[in-house]
Amino acid sequence: MSVPPQGGPRHIAIVMDGNGRWATRRFLPRLEGHRQGVDTLRRCARACAQRGVAVLTVFAFSCENWGRPAEEVSGLMELLVQALAREVPQLQRDGVRLYFVGEREGLSPKVCAGLAQAQAATAENSRLVLNVCFNYGGRWDIAQAAAALAARGEPITEASLHGALGLAHVSDPDLLIRTGGEMRISNFLLWQAAYSELFFSDRLWPDFDEPALDEALAAFRGRERRFGKTSEQLLSAHSC
Ligand code: IPE
Ligand code: IPE
Ligand code: MG
């Protein structure tokens, strides 16, 4: 028998994949898919807040994405700067706190300034924390955390490493969604996803609408999260 978790996920993480294919299928440049992807993220963040989700963490640009054609990479950088300038006032009204996670080195001063300004401008908001993983890799995150602890001469334990990671300010994701049909993690939250429920959607990210989100939430509610224990243990804990 399955014991559904109480309510919905507190923290959702998403690998927003499929923008390029969405555009190519329409004979559009790939960047048009990324533009649509920004609109989808805006709607998704709002829908998450409405459903009581406290934290949304999205994968926007991986360390490996630098290997794409230079035109696509520069287009993505420009898109980020433009999207921040345009979206921050509405994020303010919606109570969204933006948080950027990833390596700053390698990003242009303009991009770094955009990230810092948007993060500072929304720092007082508390309805939804939106973590944007940009120039992020799970291996990079673990390595930088270990290096930071070593530099401070602190012991490396599970707790200290967790505290030095990019998402130390939030609990681990309860639900990790990947759109676009691929069933892989692609170097996303390698540490934090240890006990996340995984949900793979065939929808391309620009097509990931509210019904698609609700489908993922319904699947999550049907899962039994055992964290290594047995179903019987969970049942007896619930009946106390
Ligand atoms: C995800 O969409 C966005 C980024 C990686 C920046 P893709 O651009 O990977 O889209 P597909 O997988 O090529 O369709
Ligand atoms: C993962 O998508 C990264 C982001 C969504 C930002 P990719 O399209 O880069 O992943 P792979 O190359 O298919 O594994
Ligand atoms: Mg992809």
Side-chain angles (χ1 to χ4, degrees):
M1 194 203 289
S2 100
V3 179
Q6 298 291 314
R10 199 191 122 70
H11 180 177
I12 299 180
I14 308 183
V15 180
M16 308 184 293
D17 194 27
N19 295 346
R21 280 165 284 167
W22 184 93
T24 304
R25 282 178 197 175
R26 287 164 178 76
F27 306 101
L28 295 168
R30 289 177 58 87
L31 209 56
E32 197 47 48
H34 297 311
R35 273 196 202 98
Q36 287 292 328
V38 176
D39 292 346
T40 303
L41 176 55
R42 184 195 312 113
R43 287 195 297 270
C44 183
R46 190 166 290 172
C48 282
Q50 284 165 354
R51 285 156 180 75
V53 174
V55 183
L56 175 64
T57 298
V58 296
F59 204 4
F61 189 83
S62 75
C63 300
E64 290 77 24
N65 289 148
W66 289 107
R68 293 191 177 197
E71 190 186 61
E72 180 166 346
V73 171
S74 61
L76 281 164
M77 296 295 153
E78 192 52 41
L79 186 62
L80 174 72
V81 172
Q82 287 170 4
L84 288 177
R86 194 181 59 233
E87 303 289 338
V88 164
Q90 186 60 46
L91 293 174
Q92 288 286 38
R93 287 193 287 276
D94 291 344
V96 177
R97 177 172 189 177
L98 265 180
Y99 204 99
F100 290 95
V101 183
E103 194 172 9
R104 297 295 160 100
E105 206 172 296
L107 299 178
S108 73
K110 189 171 152 190
V111 169
C112 285
L115 301 187
Q117 277 163 19
Q119 194 166 297
T122 60
E124 301 301 318
N125 298 337
S126 58
R127 186 162 182 232
L128 176 81
V129 174
L130 175 55
N131 298 306
V132 179
C133 295
F134 196 88
N135 198 17
Y136 175 88
R139 289 177 176 177
W140 164 82
D141 199 7
I142 294 167
Q144 70 77 27
L149 292 172
R152 297 199 293 263
E154 292 175 26
I156 295 178
T157 63
E158 284 198 21
S160 69
L161 252 180
H162 189 92
L165 289 166
L167 287 182
H169 57 292
V170 290
S171 58
D172 287 345
D174 302 294
L175 171 63
L176 192 158
I177 300 171
R178 180 172 184 143
T179 64
E182 311 293 357
M183 296 202 200
R184 54 178 173 256
I185 298 292
S186 297
N187 199 14
F188 196 30
L189 307 169
L190 297 182
W191 178 281
Q192 299 89 342
Y195 267 104
S196 303
E197 295 298 326
L198 307 181
F199 184 86
F200 296 98
S201 169
D202 285 332
R203 295 277 183 115
L204 302 174
W205 174 247
D207 294 328
F208 193 77
D209 53 13
E210 288 196 41
L213 174 67
D214 286 331
E215 192 191 334
L217 293 174
F220 175 83
R221 289 192 197 95
R223 303 276 178 92
E224 182 185 62
R225 304 189 75 193
R226 288 191 291 275
F227 298 98
K229 296 188 175 170
T230 67
S231 293
E232 290 70 24
Q233 284 176 299
L234 298 179
L235 279 168
S236 59
H238 276 282
S239 59
C240 300

